[in-house]
């Protein structure tokens, strides 16, 4: 995917990305405010015009900054999208502890983690569908599996580590170390379904989260039984070789 379409012009107005504006702390420095404003403007234009048709020049013009200033804060459009990923992850981490307070059941905690993410991401649903056309390319820096996406990805894996750690689940020792990453992969599967969900209020995704998360929690609980240990070890080896992120560049 090329980012050299930045000479295209753009105009128009649209709805601001309110979630980002609300997240800006009153004590933020002028530099932080400028960065947030550029990112907010970019997300609005991405939603209005599509990712490919939005240029850095248009973003700078709409944000009221010079093109050089826009590039100072974000080296490319890809970096703007990484800013969006980071923002969603930050809001998710900030809201989840309150939402999880008092919940110990693993199924409840997993479902809550996904429902909180969906509530945060809801204003960006249409934009996410546009973005996915670029993010689906394995070579794209916008891919959730790319090196550029590592900070947001690692933050989500850490988040699921906390979801597991504070639950009452008794975990199989062979599987527990990789469970946070597996739950992030499950999260990404839900995100993919959500991207394509055109039901009112993405209600089908909400129903999927309730039913699928109950199954996931039961499978995690069953994994600790001795009779299933050989299957668990086989699954562990299979996942380690073919699925987990750190092995994505391994060649046969």
């Amino acid at each position: 995917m090329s980012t050299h379409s930045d000479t295209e012009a753009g105009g128009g107005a649209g709805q601001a990305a309110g979630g980002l504006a609300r997240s800006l702390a009153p004590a933020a420095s002028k530099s932080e405010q400028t960065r947030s404003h550029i990112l907010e403007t970019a997300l609005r234009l991405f939603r209005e015009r599509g990712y490919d048709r939005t240029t850095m020049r248009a973003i700078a013009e709409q944000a009221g900054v010079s093109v050089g200033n826009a590039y100072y804060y974000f080296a490319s459009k890809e970096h703007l999208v990484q800013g969006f990923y980071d923002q969603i992850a930050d809001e998710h981490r900030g809201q989840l502890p309150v939402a999880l307070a008092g919940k110990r059941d693993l199924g409840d905690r997993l479902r809550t983690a996904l429902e909180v993410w969906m509530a945060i991401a809801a204003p960006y649903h249409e934009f996410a569908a546009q973005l996915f056309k670029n993010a689906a390319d394995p070579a794209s820096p916008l891919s959730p599996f790319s090196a550029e996406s590592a900070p947001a990805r690692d933050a989500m894996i850490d988040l699921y580590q906390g979801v597991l750690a504070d639950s009452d689940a008794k975990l199989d020792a062979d599987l527990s170390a990789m469970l946070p990453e597996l739950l992030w992969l499950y999260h990404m599967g839900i995100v993919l379904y959500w991207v394509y969900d055109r039901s009112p209020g993405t209600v089908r995704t909400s129903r999927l989260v309730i039913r699928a998360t109950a199954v996931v929690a039961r499978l995690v609980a069953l994994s600790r039984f001795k009779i299933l240990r050989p299957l668990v070890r086989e699954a562990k080896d299979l996942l380690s070789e073919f699925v987990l992120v750190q092995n994505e560049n391994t060649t046969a």
Side-chain angles (χ1 to χ4, degrees):
M1 182 191 63
S2 171
T3 62
H4 298 297
S5 60
D6 293 344
T7 57
E8 297 173 359
Q15 181 181 359
L20 291 177
R22 287 192 300 271
S23 69
L24 185 61
S29 69
K30 183 177 180 180
S31 177
E32 291 169 335
Q33 291 176 3
T34 300
R35 186 183 188 279
S36 180
H37 178 58
I38 293 170
L39 179 57
E40 178 182 328
T41 301
L43 293 179
R44 173 171 60 81
L45 294 180
F46 290 161
R47 290 163 63 183
E48 291 175 0
R49 307 176 187 182
Y51 175 80
D52 290 333
R53 297 184 62 187
T54 300
T55 68
M56 287 294 285
R57 182 174 298 278
I59 292 167
E61 289 175 353
Q62 290 285 314
V65 301
S66 68
V67 176
N69 204 19
Y71 276 113
Y72 172 80
Y73 288 100
F74 298 96
S76 67
K77 287 200 298 183
E78 284 90 348
H79 285 81
L80 280 159
V81 174
Q82 295 303 330
F84 168 67
Y85 289 165
D86 293 341
Q87 180 68 36
I88 293 291
D90 287 346
E91 291 193 28
H92 197 188
R93 281 198 308 272
Q95 295 184 24
L96 197 56
V98 174
L100 290 178
K103 295 182 179 180
R104 298 278 291 161
D105 179 77
L106 179 58
D108 286 346
R109 291 175 67 82
L110 291 176
R111 187 185 69 250
T112 299
L114 287 162
E115 289 174 344
V116 169
W117 184 90
M118 287 175 59
I120 293 168
Y124 310 106
H125 185 237
E126 293 301 322
F127 162 61
Q130 297 173 14
L131 174 63
F132 185 75
K133 293 184 293 184
N134 297 282
D137 180 357
S140 171
L142 302 185
S143 166
F145 299 90
S146 70
E148 291 84 354
S149 297
R153 180 172 64 243
D154 291 345
M156 289 300 295
I157 292 172
D158 287 345
L159 180 146
Y160 279 107
Q161 175 67 61
V163 169
L164 285 166
D166 293 331
S167 77
D168 58 8
K170 297 178 180 179
L171 305 177
D172 174 80
D174 287 336
L175 201 58
S176 61
M178 63 173 59
L179 269 176
E181 192 165 341
L182 291 176
L183 291 175
W184 171 75
L185 289 170
Y186 168 61
H187 176 103
M188 294 309 301
I190 295 295
V191 170
L192 177 60
Y193 189 92
W194 173 81
V195 165
Y196 284 106
D197 186 2
R198 289 297 176 266
S199 62
T202 61
V203 65
R204 286 184 62 84
T205 306
S206 297
R207 287 163 51 197
L208 174 64
V209 165
I210 292 170
R211 295 183 62 178
T213 301
V215 173
V216 169
R218 289 177 64 188
L219 289 173
V220 170
L222 288 172
S223 70
R224 66 188 175 89
F225 290 104
K226 290 183 178 180
I227 194 172
L228 296 177
R229 290 288 171 79
L231 181 59
V232 169
R233 291 192 185 97
E234 186 175 345
K236 177 178 179 289
D237 291 341
L238 182 67
L239 293 165
S240 295
E241 183 172 357
F242 294 106
V243 177
L244 298 183
V245 171
Q246 60 263 33
N247 294 291
E248 64 183 357
N249 295 320
T250 301
T251 56

